[in-house]
Amino acid sequence: NAAQVNATMVHARDFDDVHETAVMHPAVVTVIPALAIGEVMAGLTGKELITSVALGVDMICRLGLATRPGVSPLMTGWHFTSLYGYPTAALTVGRLLGLNEEKMVSAFGIAYHQCAGNGQCVTDGALTKRMGPGFSVKGGIIAALMAEKGITGARNCLEGEQGLYKVYQHGEYDRDILTRDLGKHFEGVNVSIKPYPSCRGTHPSIDAALKITKKHAINPEEIKEILIVTGEANHHLLCTPFEAKVRPRNPVDTQFSIPWGVGTAILRKRVAMQDFTVEATTDPQMLNLTAKIRAEADPGLNSPRGIEPAKVTVVMNNGETFFEQIDRPLGSPNQPMSFEDCVGKFEDCVAFGGGWMPESNVKKAVELVGNLEKVQDVRELINLFA
């Protein structure tokens, strides 16, 4: 139950990492269950925690990458983090519990029996979007514990006649992508860290808006129009229904709105957690600015697998026009955030939470994470958050 709550909160803030090609959030369904098990296991080392998480991250990314090649995960109808989070959490925990091969197979089967998670919640701005990974993590932990006790699960869960790929993906998958260089290449190296607490698809547009704003000292009151151009998948998910994206019904709408992210960047000259709250949705300055936004889809920017580029044009009342295009946003593997950037992100999160964590604990947590492979019992880290 604790893991479910933590995973729900991690995903609710939409600040969790993302594999841009597989379009999923690996850490929430690996780190959270690993820490939960680490809290009840004596002597779980940081090195073993890293190993288990690395294997879990590699697994969920491979499951996604192998799914319906050439089709954007956003268009499949499934929320991959939740769907594939069940077996991923189960096997991450199974590794920590030391399950043998037979029981690991059963853990996967028990997890598959629970797999779920759809994309309709995003379109409807429903809170279940935030809860999906929590369900996955709870189900995965239960699956591993049941398998440990001897309960069996289906064996051929991926390629069977009623297996996951046949039932959930119409049999459209690539076995080579799933297994290529298994144990040699780990997809965690291709995971991006988010600098902004919103859907990763909003980040190229946010980066473009921030670049324009900082380069030209934009005064929001002097803006006549803002044009945002993205690929078709991002336009469908993050710019429609358009009225909900420029006048959000709730915080979920703000997190999945390119117009909202762009407006925030231009008005605030930064994008932070307080910009995606209930209070933010009624800010008259923001609503006045987002009313000036138009959004268009350009098939030339389509990227079936990977983050779509974005173009932002700002037209001023005096006729001046400013334009930026971003292909790879900040936080991507080829444009990574530094460890210091991540520390700043962590400190901002603590501050947003009301400063409940003593400064000494914050510093100690940073020190332990920075040297995690040397930690002999991960409860030393976990206890700092008690």
Side-chain angles (χ1 to χ4, degrees):
N1 289 335
Q4 180 181 6
V5 170
N6 284 332
T8 299
M9 183 56 75
V10 165
H11 203 56
R13 290 305 176 192
D14 222 326
F15 227 168
D16 41 344
D17 64 347
V18 60
H19 191 292
E20 296 172 5
T21 307
V23 190
M24 62 172 59
H25 307 271
V28 66
V29 292
T30 53
V31 174
I32 296 301
L35 288 175
I37 293 299
E39 190 172 16
V40 297
M41 288 180 65
L44 176 63
T45 67
K47 186 173 289 187
E48 180 58 25
L49 179 72
I50 292 170
T51 302
S52 300
V53 169
L55 291 170
V57 169
D58 185 56
M59 174 182 159
I60 191 171
C61 292
R62 286 174 179 270
L63 287 171
L65 290 170
T67 300
R68 299 177 70 177
V71 177
S72 170
L74 301 176
M75 308 304 285
T76 66
W78 294 103
H79 182 230
F80 280 10
T81 306
S82 299
L83 179 67
Y84 295 134
Y86 285 88
T88 298
L91 296 198
T92 300
V93 171
R95 161 82 190 203
L96 294 173
L97 294 176
L99 300 187
N100 61 26
E101 181 178 342
E102 188 71 20
K103 290 186 175 182
M104 287 288 264
V105 170
S106 281
F108 195 117
I110 298 168
Y112 171 45
H113 211 70
Q114 306 172 76
C115 283
N118 62 77
Q120 188 63 36
C121 53
V122 175
T123 300
D124 293 346
L127 290 176
T128 44
K129 166 61 174 67
R130 300 172 161 201
M131 298 173 69
F135 292 138
S136 301
V137 164
K138 182 177 183 179
I141 292 174
I142 289 172
L145 294 176
M146 285 183 169
E148 183 183 38
K149 297 298 183 182
I151 296 174
T152 58
R155 298 187 60 80
N156 200 354
C157 293
L158 286 179
E159 297 185 295
E161 186 62 28
Q162 283 82 42
L164 193 154
Y165 281 131
K166 181 68 176 291
V167 175
Y168 288 63
Q169 305 295 349
H170 313 292
E172 299 174 18
Y173 70 101
D174 188 320
R175 198 177 202 274
D176 180 59
I177 293 176
L178 187 65
T179 61
R180 185 191 307 147
D181 293 328
L182 190 64
K184 299 177 182 178
H185 170 77
F186 297 90
E187 272 299 317
V189 300
N190 292 321
V191 170
S192 298
I193 304 298
K194 287 185 179 182
Y196 320 118
S198 59
C199 176
R200 184 59 170 167
T202 68
H203 289 201
S205 301
I206 290 174
D207 276 355
L210 285 172
K211 194 171 183 179
I212 290 173
T213 301
K214 293 175 180 179
K215 185 186 295 185
H216 304 287
I218 299 292
N219 182 346
E221 295 182 0
E222 297 176 1
I223 293 175
K224 179 181 179 181
E225 181 182 65
I226 301 169
L227 174 63
I228 302 166
V229 182
T230 65
E232 292 175 308
N234 268 354
H235 182 81
H236 172 74
L237 179 71
L238 303 171
C239 295
T240 63
F242 190 70
E243 180 61 23
K245 302 305 182 182
V246 295
R247 299 187 67 85
R249 298 162 293 186
N250 50 53
V252 175
D253 281 342
T254 66
Q255 293 170 326
F256 287 84
S257 169
I258 289 177
W260 190 263
V262 167
T264 299
I266 292 174
L267 181 65
R268 309 296 182 198
K269 298 178 176 54
R270 53 99 180 107
V271 177
M273 294 182 73
Q274 59 263 37
D275 302 313
F276 300 90
T277 62
V278 172
E279 293 75 19
T281 63
T282 60
D283 186 317
Q285 283 185 298
M286 269 295 295
L287 296 176
N288 180 59
L289 184 57
T290 56
K292 301 177 182 180
I293 292 177
R294 290 193 300 114
E296 296 178 357
D298 177 1
L301 297 178
N302 286 359
S303 179
R305 290 288 174 157
I307 201 78
E308 290 182 346
K311 300 177 181 179
V312 174
T313 303
V314 177
V315 181
M316 309 302 291
N317 288 330
N318 63 6
E320 282 189 288
T321 300
F322 306 109
F323 169 84
E324 290 290 344
Q325 175 173 336
I326 297 294
D327 296 324
R328 305 299 301 176
L330 178 64
S332 301
N334 62 349
Q335 195 179 347
M337 293 174 64
S338 66
F339 184 77
E340 289 70 27
D341 290 335
C342 293
V343 170
K345 174 176 170 177
F346 170 52
E347 292 172 342
D348 287 345
C349 288
V350 172
F352 182 79
W356 57 271
M357 191 175 183
E359 181 62 26
S360 58
N361 285 27
V362 172
K363 291 181 178 179
K364 184 63 176 178
V366 170
E367 177 187 338
L368 290 177
V369 171
N371 297 279
L372 188 56
E373 70 277 8
K374 299 178 183 178
V375 174
Q376 294 304 302
D377 190 329
V378 297
R379 289 181 297 180
E380 183 180 358
L381 173 62
I382 295 168
N383 290 339
L384 295 173
F385 295 88

